[in-house]
Amino acid sequence: MTEGPGLRRDNFDWERFLELLGLMHRIRAFEEEAIAGQKEGLVLGAIHPSIGQEAVAAGVCGNLETADLMLSTHRGHGHTLAKGADGLAMMRELFGRKGGTCGGKGGSMHIADFGVGMLGANGVVGANIPIATGAAHALKLQGSRQIVTCIFGDGAVNRGPFMEGLNWARVFDLPVLFVCEDNNFSATTRTREMTGGAGAGARAESLGIETTEVDGNDLTAVDAAARAAIDAVRAGQGPRFLTCHTYRMTGHTSVDPAAYRPAQEVEEWRGNDPIARLEVALRMAGIEDAQLTELHRSEAAAMAEIARTARETDWPEAAGAFTDVQDVGDPRERAY
Amino acid sequence: MTEGPGLRRDNFDWERFLELLGLMHRIRAFEEEAIAGQKEGLVLGAIHPSIGQEAVAAGVCGNLETADLMLSTHRGHGHTLAKGADGLAMMRELFGRKGGTCGGKGGSMHIADFGVGMLGANGVVGANIPIATGAAHALKLQGSRQIVTCIFGDGAVNRGPFMEGLNWARVFDLPVLFVCEDNNFSATTRTREMTGGAGAGARAESLGIETTEVDGNDLTAVDAAARAAIDAVRAGQGPRFLTCHTYRMTGHTSVDPAAYRPAQEVEEWRGNDPIARLEVALRMAGIEDAQLTELHRSEAAAMAEIARTARETDWPEAAGAFTDVQDVGDPRERAY
Amino acid sequence: MTMSTYLEAGRRAVIEEMERDASVWALGEDLGRGGVFGQYKGLQEMFGTGRIADTPISEACIMGAAVGAAMTGTRPIVEMRFSDFALCAVDELVNQAAKARFMFGGQMRVPLVVREPVGMWRSSAAQHSQSLESWYTHIPGLVVVAPSTPADNLGLLKAAIRCDDPVVYMEHKNLWGLEGELPEGDHMVPLGKADIAREGRDVTLVTWSGMRQGCLKAAETLASDGIEAEVIDLRTLWPWDRDAVMASVEKTGRLLVVHEAVTVSGFGAEIAASVAEALHFRLKAPVSRLGAPRIPVAYAPTMEDEARVSPARIVAAVRKTMQPAEVS
Amino acid sequence: MTMSTYLEAGRRAVIEEMERDASVWALGEDLGRGGVFGQYKGLQEMFGTGRIADTPISEACIMGAAVGAAMTGTRPIVEMRFSDFALCAVDELVNQAAKARFMFGGQMRVPLVVREPVGMWRSSAAQHSQSLESWYTHIPGLVVVAPSTPADNLGLLKAAIRCDDPVVYMEHKNLWGLEGELPEGDHMVPLGKADIAREGRDVTLVTWSGMRQGCLKAAETLASDGIEAEVIDLRTLWPWDRDAVMASVEKTGRLLVVHEAVTVSGFGAEIAASVAEALHFRLKAPVSRLGAPRIPVAYAPTMEDEARVSPARIVAAVRKTMQPAEVS
Ligand SMILES: Cc1ncc(C[n+]2csc(CCOP(=O)(O)OP(=O)(O)O)c2C)c(N)n1
Ligand SMILES: Cc1ncc(C[n+]2csc(CCOP(=O)(O)OP(=O)(O)O)c2C)c(N)n1
Ligand SMILES: [Mg+2]
Ligand SMILES: [Mg+2]
């Protein structure tokens, strides 16, 4: 598990991977700032960090075009950043401030940035699957070349809408890539113990959808698998399914001590950090340590600055509670 | 399709099959009386005949013990009779009369007879799957040797609760046999066109459940397959799945002309009538024509008598509308 | 003016809006064969399988997919077949469709119409007879419409399809065959405006959907006794036409809300409470409500009728309201 | 008497009933690790994995399986985690659990308790903050309970578990840490009986769940102005204690219903309408209601507070009700 990705140096696109490494650092720095912010009482609601899972976000979303659509989960900071959302707007959203991606109305679990095709995290496990499928349905009706990517966890595959959505995507041959980010856990439960059969991929196959499984902590592997799947989807071959095996290094939420996991298992996965692994690969490709260190430092520094700015941002006006409810009918009718 | 079942005469249990033939005649006679009753305005709500599908009901339920539990669908007359419910009580239920299985409260779509382990038809497609799974869960908690059989249509496999229920049954290793009565249609829609992948069985396999497929118009084949599956379930081997391929000879409801089906297809299936096929087999086994004719006649006559009695039965008291609502709270509070 | 059924009026609304706006499409089970009541008859031939889409029996995904498709520039008409089956898709409607625009800070809208045929219909029993409109009026973000005449089914369905909010559109199964005149041309009925179905000075009956007819019948009976009932058909339940109701009750001093749904926590409670709050001192009699008892709908007609609001019951309830005021 | 939290009281109720009756069991996600709020902490160790069952994330099947298991001689406690997720299982609760006994002519009962933690809880936003109790009061067959003190959470949960009807049992997330005294022994609180949380002569506040505290605080403030509010905590919403409410309003002549849910079609409408119907001529002021505006709950506290019924808002609403009567 701690082996390098075994690269063939000659066709190793190090510039691209350096960029994706930067993205992974940015994601991690975002979540570290968010966790620190929560300890300080700046982040108000629950947050679900994806530390340790950054290669999935970077490897998948790094292959999408801005015009492509992507739907995420409660554990969606990484996907959102990787899709191109602005870190400051996201941090402001977590802090519940003006200028947040959703104007402070959504918070971490409902981050969305339609401007970059990020159609929303979701507080209901699996609920994004039919919605993503419908977005792809609309794209197909419109004759668009855009595609949709729908990311969800291993726990979501036990919800009915998972099957309904995948079946639908197959029946209508829709341009959608389903990505199961399998971190082995559903909150405090080991997902395998609640999952009959061989799991996510087998279910997708039974619904007629071609699947790939990949080491989700190996950025280069995720990148390659995602690119292949995305190319197929964009070529009109209908839905694809990709399972990325990974692990979350934190608890389910930032305040969950996660005592239900054996220390040794956590340690093993710590040795399998996707950022460290990509750094090893880049060093093998001849990138200097100094450059790698600087990349990390600069992303961390930028994020610290974002957090500083976010905390100094004003609160949204209370009156915003009454806007964007609906066009017809007056939401103030029973206001105080 | 019109071939006989290819019997080895020596281990052909003709007494048992004669009984099951009688049951199939009874089921058909019941539905023919019900359809006639509906034309006369005696059956008040919709009915979904299972004419042509009787071998599934007889072959599956013929292998259950009375103490075993069974859940059915909107197309459930056959299953209910085969599980041992009283034809007169059922006919009264369809006619909305006193002494109906549900006292006239349910009608065709909600027939139930808990006394013989028939835990209900259901008006919501697929809804019986989690309920059946839960019944099996209770049996396991109780250490019972009873098993549960859950029958549903091919259309139900596209509803999320199908996947949730099967997964659950596998995870908890429950004593439940799932039977997909695949009659090729979901109301007016050819199910295959709305179904991704290879269908019901493939989905069950992907959830870790062993499956069997069988010619559902061949009583002897259904009987054998059901017995094997039921034995395995009763032996504590967890859930099993059985697909029975069949065809409904009527429309979706008794008033649906079913013009969406090619006449030739209907004709072909008419030549594949499960009752006629079993009669051929029994003739091959040496049963006399006269005996077969008499069996048919006597079942039809008995059912005609049932229909006559049912139509002469009183209506239930209006006050029954307020009983069996709930123990706590007075349902009459807002009565007129 | 042409004569048309309520069913045919809904069909015409869909055709007109689909012709007008290429982003409108419909999805649901069996739509290719016209839908379960024939509301979509011939439409797949007119608009193709893309825009009149047959779906798997997957209510959660039908609703969820419509949410995604609505966010992505189309205007789906979601056919739920029976409102009872919409209970398989409540997360998708209530947690997703209704909240998305707000939750995501107004970045998009979810313009979809959910058609949910409601109500009692000859021995359909407990799982095919429900009227749960009050649920949807309770959910921020949703518009709720319940037409009761062919012309309104035309004009309101067209308005619902053009509305940028998610609209729960409840047609009554027992009205499919009802005939009435349809205006020619682009007939629109504004959302949120009630229809004064009958003028009267003595008592205000507020109603909607299948009960409009019953109220009008009851009003005829009452008229022969000299009681003139004003019948207000709300048409849209959220937002409901407060002005029309309040103006009428100010005039008559008496209110009876009549609906088919269970009385307890039915939408009649909202109207009765609102009127009592606003017009307490103008009322000549207590506000009153008439709906079904809190019982599931039974199959056998004797018992089924105990859950049915008949014209006779409306007449009786009005008479009670007209009794001389209790001395306080 | 021992001191206990609301959370711990619920846990004790489950333990006592599971010890008393071997057919009681609980099912839901993460129960083996105590459940998401710790309500089941240590219970799997006490009762084993069979009776404290971890489940897949399959709300529809959790509810549906409980229905089947309840029909088959067991008494399941269904844990829905947040009431919002129960929207993934509405068919199973409303079309199946609530109707089965009636629909099948009384052949069996469906004795299950659905625990649905409700309400607003520090920046939980639109999908984790809902209070939809009025929905369930509208559904024949369901009992609806919303405890607001530790002692009531003990006694009502025990009563709910022993009840043969399906019970929707709504604990308030913001009350988990609330401390209070618990009686020793087999403490039962009867379903359907309100608690007079405070006596008063001037105005009746009817409330439940998270709002009991706010009403009591508001009553203190009002008392210093000489306004004595009677606070009635309904505890059970269906059936609700009409007698207690009517008796109080007969005495005070004034009613304010206070709940956290959206006012429109909230359960306050049912109570206000019922009181207006029954006691119109005894009222000194119009019935009134205080709940949330019809908006989703926002994440940022400034906006979130616009959906929150505070003691100050209760005081203001009572003052309005106490104003001299308009001349009619
Ligand atoms: C329908 C629903 N049920 C339960 C929850 C509570 N919940 C939130 S996250 C979570 C675990 C999800 O596991 P998985 O899908 O593997 O995603 P991960 O958290 O591992 O990223 C659960 C049970 C929910 N949000 N929605
Ligand atoms: C959830 C739900 N959606 C739709 C319906 C309407 N409906 C009743 S039967 C049926 C077709 C079911 O097909 P299948 O499961 O194959 O059973 P069959 O009728 O062929 O026996 C449909 C769509 C329903 N009853 N419940
Ligand atoms: Mg996971
Ligand atoms: Mg079928």
Side-chain angles (χ1 to χ4, degrees):
Chain A
M1 264 210 266
T2 51
E3 271 184 9
L7 305 164
R8 287 127 308 141
R9 181 144 181 184
D10 40 340
N11 61 9
F12 185 66
D13 183 354
W14 58 268
E15 282 194 316
R16 170 178 172 70
F17 288 125
L18 264 182
E19 208 175 287
L20 291 176
L21 178 65
L23 174 56
M24 287 164 72
H25 277 305
R26 189 147 66 247
I27 294 170
R28 185 159 304 178
F30 181 89
E31 295 201 315
E32 284 171 346
E33 289 292 346
I35 293 170
Q38 186 169 62
K39 289 203 179 105
E40 270 194 81
L42 290 165
V43 172
L44 305 151
I47 48 174
H48 302 83
S50 66
I51 292 176
Q53 305 183 180
E54 296 88 347
V56 180
V60 171
C61 298
N63 282 291
L64 296 173
E65 301 176 5
T66 302
D68 288 333
L69 308 179
M70 190 274 295
L71 287 91
S72 175
T73 68
H74 56 285
R75 201 178 302 288
H77 306 141
H79 314 142
T80 309
L81 282 162
K83 190 66 181 67
D86 177 46
L88 176 57
M90 288 175 61
M91 195 66 80
R92 282 174 165 151
E93 189 63 30
L94 267 60
F95 289 7
R97 303 303 171 95
K98 262 192 183 159
T101 52
C102 307
K105 280 178 172 163
S108 165
M109 256 192 285
H110 308 298
I111 270 192
D113 186 347
F114 280 65
V116 297
M118 197 287 165
L119 266 53
N122 207 305
V124 180
V125 169
N128 61 343
I129 298 172
I131 299 175
T133 301
H137 203 131
L139 293 179
K140 183 164 178 178
L141 284 174
Q142 292 160 344
S144 169
R145 71 175 290 283
Q146 293 156 270
I147 71 157
V148 180
T149 295
C150 179
I151 311 181
F152 47 85
D154 42 303
V157 310
N158 288 328
R159 281 212 59 225
F162 166 84
M163 189 198 76
E164 293 191 7
L166 265 65
N167 181 59
W168 187 292
R170 175 74 282 164
V171 163
F172 293 101
D173 255 321
L174 301 180
V176 53
L177 170 65
F178 296 106
V179 178
C180 179
E181 186 169 46
D182 180 357
N183 63 7
N184 293 282
F185 281 88
S186 309
T188 70
T189 300
R190 198 172 287 275
T191 310
R192 147 167 39 89
E193 291 172 11
M194 291 295 135
T195 307
R203 295 180 188 187
E205 293 275 356
S206 80
L207 296 160
I209 301 181
E210 227 175 88
T211 71
T212 317
E213 302 211 18
V214 70
D215 175 350
N217 280 25
D218 178 351
L219 184 275
T220 63
V222 176
D223 176 59
R227 179 157 47 237
I230 286 167
D231 285 350
V233 172
R234 201 181 307 280
Q237 295 176 24
R240 290 285 159 123
F241 194 94
L242 174 63
T243 304
C244 302
H245 295 285
T246 183
Y247 200 79
R248 60 167 154 78
M249 296 312 305
T250 69
H252 173 56
T253 62
S254 56
V255 298
D256 166 19
Y260 44 84
R261 307 194 299 193
Q264 201 200 328
E265 176 178 294
V266 178
E267 264 328 293
E268 266 172 37
W269 279 97
R270 204 178 298 286
N272 191 18
D273 184 308
I275 291 184
R277 280 178 67 181
L278 185 58
E279 285 177 336
V280 167
L282 285 163
R283 268 190 221 104
M284 280 170 58
I287 309 297
E288 303 275 306
D289 261 19
Q291 192 178 348
L292 296 175
T293 312
E294 170 54 22
L295 187 58
H296 181 188
R297 197 207 53 76
S298 69
E299 289 294 347
M303 200 53 72
E305 182 54 32
I306 279 176
R308 246 188 315 277
T309 308
R311 70 194 296 158
E312 281 157 15
T313 307
D314 285 344
W315 297 104
E317 319 295 339
F322 301 96
T323 60
D324 282 314
V325 177
Q326 58 193 104
D327 291 339
V328 179
D330 181 4
R332 283 202 165 272
E333 198 175 298
R334 279 273 172 179
Y336 311 113
Chain B
M1 267 209 270
T2 51
E3 271 183 11
L7 305 164
R8 287 127 307 143
R9 179 144 180 185
D10 40 340
N11 60 10
F12 185 67
D13 183 355
W14 60 267
E15 283 195 315
R16 170 176 173 72
F17 289 124
L18 263 182
E19 208 175 288
L20 290 175
L21 177 65
L23 174 57
M24 287 164 74
H25 277 306
R26 188 147 67 248
I27 294 170
R28 185 161 303 181
F30 180 89
E31 295 201 315
E32 285 172 346
E33 290 293 345
I35 292 170
Q38 187 169 61
K39 290 206 179 103
E40 269 194 81
L42 290 165
V43 172
L44 304 152
I47 48 174
H48 302 84
S50 64
I51 292 175
Q53 307 183 177
E54 296 88 347
V56 180
V60 171
C61 298
N63 283 290
L64 296 174
E65 303 176 4
T66 302
D68 289 331
L69 308 180
M70 190 274 295
L71 287 91
S72 174
T73 68
H74 55 283
R75 201 176 304 286
H77 307 141
H79 313 142
T80 309
L81 283 163
K83 189 68 181 67
D86 176 49
L88 176 56
M90 287 176 60
M91 195 66 81
R92 283 176 165 151
E93 189 63 31
L94 267 61
F95 289 8
R97 303 303 171 95
K98 263 191 184 162
T101 54
C102 308
K105 280 178 172 165
S108 166
M109 257 193 282
H110 308 298
I111 271 192
D113 186 348
F114 280 64
V116 296
M118 197 288 166
L119 267 52
N122 207 305
V124 179
V125 168
N128 60 345
I129 298 174
I131 299 175
T133 301
H137 203 131
L139 293 179
K140 184 166 177 177
L141 284 174
Q142 292 160 343
S144 169
R145 72 175 288 286
Q146 294 157 268
I147 72 159
V148 180
T149 295
C150 179
I151 310 181
F152 47 86
D154 42 305
V157 310
N158 289 328
R159 282 212 58 226
F162 166 82
M163 188 198 76
E164 293 192 6
L166 265 66
N167 180 59
W168 186 292
R170 175 74 283 163
V171 163
F172 293 100
D173 256 322
L174 301 179
V176 52
L177 171 65
F178 296 106
V179 178
C180 178
E181 186 169 49
D182 180 357
N183 62 9
N184 292 280
F185 281 87
S186 310
T188 71
T189 299
R190 198 172 287 274
T191 310
R192 142 164 47 84
E193 291 171 13
M194 291 296 136
T195 306
R203 295 179 189 190
E205 293 276 355
S206 80
L207 296 161
I209 301 180
E210 227 176 89
T211 72
T212 317
E213 302 212 18
V214 71
D215 175 348
N217 281 23
D218 178 351
L219 185 275
T220 63
V222 175
D223 176 59
R227 180 156 44 237
I230 286 165
D231 286 349
V233 172
R234 202 182 305 280
Q237 294 175 25
R240 292 283 160 126
F241 195 94
L242 174 64
T243 304
C244 302
H245 296 284
T246 182
Y247 200 80
R248 58 168 156 77
M249 296 313 304
T250 70
H252 172 57
T253 61
S254 56
V255 299
D256 166 20
Y260 45 85
R261 307 194 299 193
Q264 200 199 329
E265 175 180 295
V266 178
E267 264 329 292
E268 265 173 36
W269 279 97
R270 205 178 298 284
N272 192 18
D273 185 309
I275 292 182
R277 279 177 68 182
L278 185 58
E279 285 177 336
V280 168
L282 285 162
R283 267 189 220 104
M284 279 169 60
I287 309 296
E288 305 274 308
D289 260 18
Q291 191 177 352
L292 295 175
T293 312
E294 170 54 20
L295 187 57
H296 180 188
R297 196 209 54 77
S298 68
E299 289 293 347
M303 199 54 71
E305 181 55 32
I306 279 176
R308 245 188 316 278
T309 309
R311 70 194 297 159
E312 282 158 14
T313 307
D314 285 344
W315 298 104
E317 318 296 338
F322 301 95
T323 60
D324 282 314
V325 177
Q326 60 193 102
D327 290 340
V328 179
D330 181 5
R332 283 203 166 271
E333 199 177 297
R334 279 274 173 180
Y336 312 111
Chain C
M1 291 282 181
T2 47
M3 286 300 284
S4 165
T5 60
Y6 182 84
L7 182 117
E8 179 55 29
R11 188 171 159 277
R12 180 174 140 194
V14 172
I15 292 173
E16 287 183 8
E17 293 307 302
M18 287 186 70
E19 281 174 344
R20 199 185 56 81
D21 181 349
S23 72
V24 177
W25 61 298
L27 64 166
E29 299 149 14
D30 300 304
L31 296 200
R33 269 75 48 219
V36 69
F37 300 107
Q39 316 99 298
Y40 301 87
K41 194 149 226 153
L43 267 59
Q44 200 173 58
E45 290 74 9
M46 292 175 68
F47 296 105
T49 53
R51 292 182 67 198
I52 299 288
D54 279 319
T55 70
I57 307 178
S58 304
E59 281 74 11
C61 197
I62 294 172
M63 191 78 83
V67 174
M71 287 178 176
T72 311
T74 70
R75 306 182 77 87
I77 300 170
V78 177
E79 177 56 55
M80 279 283 126
R81 200 173 183 121
F82 281 71
S83 68
D84 312 75
F85 307 153
L87 301 191
C88 303
V90 174
D91 172 57
E92 291 72 16
L93 179 63
V94 169
N95 285 333
Q96 312 298 335
K99 296 177 175 46
R101 174 177 168 190
F102 180 88
M103 205 157 60
F104 297 148
Q107 295 183 61
M108 45 73 231
R109 283 164 169 67
V110 186
L112 57 81
V113 179
V114 188
R115 290 178 84 176
E116 298 195 2
V118 297
M120 290 168 71
W121 194 48
R122 55 168 174 84
S123 286
S124 300
Q127 291 179 336
H128 288 72
S129 301
Q130 290 168 92
S131 293
L132 296 177
E133 64 270 20
S134 77
W135 277 26
Y136 302 112
T137 62
H138 189 48
I139 302 300
L142 297 180
V143 172
V144 185
V145 180
S148 59
T149 68
D152 283 352
N153 202 20
L154 172 61
L156 287 167
L157 185 48
K158 284 164 65 78
I161 294 169
R162 292 192 203 177
C163 179
D164 280 341
D165 299 324
V167 179
V168 179
Y169 193 89
M170 306 181 119
E171 284 151 292
H172 197 291
K173 298 191 286 285
N174 219 24
L175 296 179
W176 289 129
L178 180 74
E179 301 231 322
E181 294 198 327
L182 292 194
E184 309 294 334
D186 191 25
H187 176 62
M188 301 290 293
V189 174
L191 299 174
K193 283 270 162 272
D195 177 37
I196 314 285
R198 183 183 197 283
E199 295 201 10
R201 58 168 192 254
D202 297 322
V203 56
T204 301
L205 304 191
V206 174
T207 193
W208 54 89
S209 188
M211 287 296 116
R212 175 190 170 118
Q213 304 281 326
C215 284
L216 288 173
K217 258 188 223 145
E220 292 302 313
T221 308
L222 291 161
S224 62
D225 280 8
I227 299 173
E228 289 299 333
E230 180 143 305
V231 178
I232 300 187
D233 175 359
L234 282 186
R235 305 198 286 197
T236 302
L237 304 188
W238 193 265
W240 60 287
D241 194 339
R242 272 183 81 89
D243 293 347
V245 171
M246 296 301 171
S248 176
V249 180
E250 289 219 35
K251 174 174 73 176
T252 63
R254 293 186 167 88
L255 170 75
L256 175 69
V257 192
V258 181
H259 58 60
E260 179 177 326
V262 164
T263 303
V264 174
S265 295
F267 192 56
E270 176 62 30
I271 294 166
S274 296
V275 168
E277 285 166 333
L279 300 178
H280 177 74
F281 296 106
R282 314 287 179 98
L283 289 171
K284 298 177 193 152
V287 294
S288 56
R289 297 176 283 159
L290 181 65
R294 198 171 175 278
I295 55 176
V297 176
Y299 173 83
T302 44
M303 295 185 282
E304 189 190 35
D305 281 346
E306 291 296 310
R308 185 174 271 121
V309 176
S310 61
R313 283 173 176 146
I314 300 171
V315 168
V318 170
R319 291 232 165 86
K320 219 175 130 205
T321 276
M322 298 303 297
Q323 275 161 11
E326 178 190 348
V327 188
S328 75
Chain D
M1 291 282 181
T2 46
M3 287 300 284
S4 163
T5 60
Y6 182 84
L7 182 116
E8 179 55 29
R11 188 171 159 277
R12 179 175 140 193
V14 173
I15 292 172
E16 287 183 9
E17 293 308 301
M18 288 186 71
E19 281 174 344
R20 200 184 58 80
D21 181 348
S23 72
V24 177
W25 61 298
L27 65 167
E29 300 150 13
D30 300 304
L31 295 201
R33 268 76 47 217
V36 69
F37 300 106
Q39 316 99 297
Y40 301 86
K41 194 148 226 151
L43 267 59
Q44 201 174 56
E45 290 74 10
M46 291 175 68
F47 296 105
T49 54
R51 292 182 67 197
I52 298 288
D54 280 318
T55 69
I57 307 179
S58 304
E59 279 75 11
C61 196
I62 294 172
M63 191 80 82
V67 175
M71 287 177 175
T72 311
T74 71
R75 307 182 77 87
I77 300 170
V78 178
E79 176 56 56
M80 278 283 127
R81 199 172 182 121
F82 281 72
S83 68
D84 312 74
F85 307 152
L87 301 191
C88 303
V90 174
D91 171 58
E92 291 73 16
L93 179 63
V94 170
N95 284 335
Q96 313 298 335
K99 297 178 174 47
R101 174 177 167 189
F102 179 89
M103 204 157 64
F104 297 147
Q107 296 183 60
M108 46 73 230
R109 283 163 169 67
V110 186
L112 58 81
V113 179
V114 189
R115 290 178 85 176
E116 299 196 2
V118 297
M120 290 168 71
W121 194 48
R122 58 169 170 86
S123 285
S124 300
Q127 290 178 337
H128 288 73
S129 302
Q130 290 168 92
S131 294
L132 296 177
E133 65 270 20
S134 78
W135 278 26
Y136 303 112
T137 61
H138 190 48
I139 303 300
L142 296 181
V143 173
V144 185
V145 181
S148 59
T149 67
D152 283 352
N153 201 20
L154 171 61
L156 287 166
L157 186 46
K158 285 164 65 77
I161 294 170
R162 292 191 203 176
C163 178
D164 279 343
D165 298 325
V167 179
V168 179
Y169 194 87
M170 306 182 120
E171 284 150 294
H172 197 291
K173 298 192 287 285
N174 220 22
L175 296 178
W176 289 128
L178 180 74
E179 302 231 320
E181 295 198 324
L182 291 194
E184 309 294 335
D186 191 26
H187 176 62
M188 302 289 294
V189 173
L191 299 174
K193 282 271 162 271
D195 176 37
I196 314 287
R198 185 185 196 282
E199 295 202 8
R201 59 169 189 252
D202 297 322
V203 56
T204 301
L205 304 190
V206 174
T207 193
W208 55 89
S209 189
M211 287 296 116
R212 175 190 170 118
Q213 304 278 329
C215 285
L216 288 174
K217 259 188 222 145
E220 292 302 313
T221 307
L222 291 162
S224 62
D225 280 8
I227 299 173
E228 289 299 333
E230 180 142 306
V231 178
I232 300 187
D233 174 0
L234 282 185
R235 306 198 285 198
T236 301
L237 304 187
W238 193 266
W240 60 287
D241 193 341
R242 270 182 83 89
D243 292 347
V245 171
M246 296 301 172
S248 176
V249 180
E250 289 218 33
K251 174 174 72 176
T252 63
R254 292 185 166 88
L255 170 75
L256 174 68
V257 193
V258 180
H259 58 59
E260 179 177 327
V262 163
T263 303
V264 173
S265 295
F267 191 56
E270 177 62 31
I271 294 167
S274 296
V275 168
E277 286 166 332
L279 300 179
H280 177 75
F281 296 106
R282 313 285 178 100
L283 288 171
K284 298 176 192 153
V287 294
S288 56
R289 297 176 285 159
L290 179 65
R294 198 171 175 279
I295 54 175
V297 177
Y299 173 82
T302 45
M303 295 185 282
E304 190 190 35
D305 281 347
E306 291 296 311
R308 184 173 272 121
V309 176
S310 60
R313 282 171 176 149
I314 300 171
V315 168
V318 170
R319 289 230 167 86
K320 221 176 129 203
T321 277
M322 298 304 296
Q323 276 161 14
E326 180 190 347
V327 190
S328 78

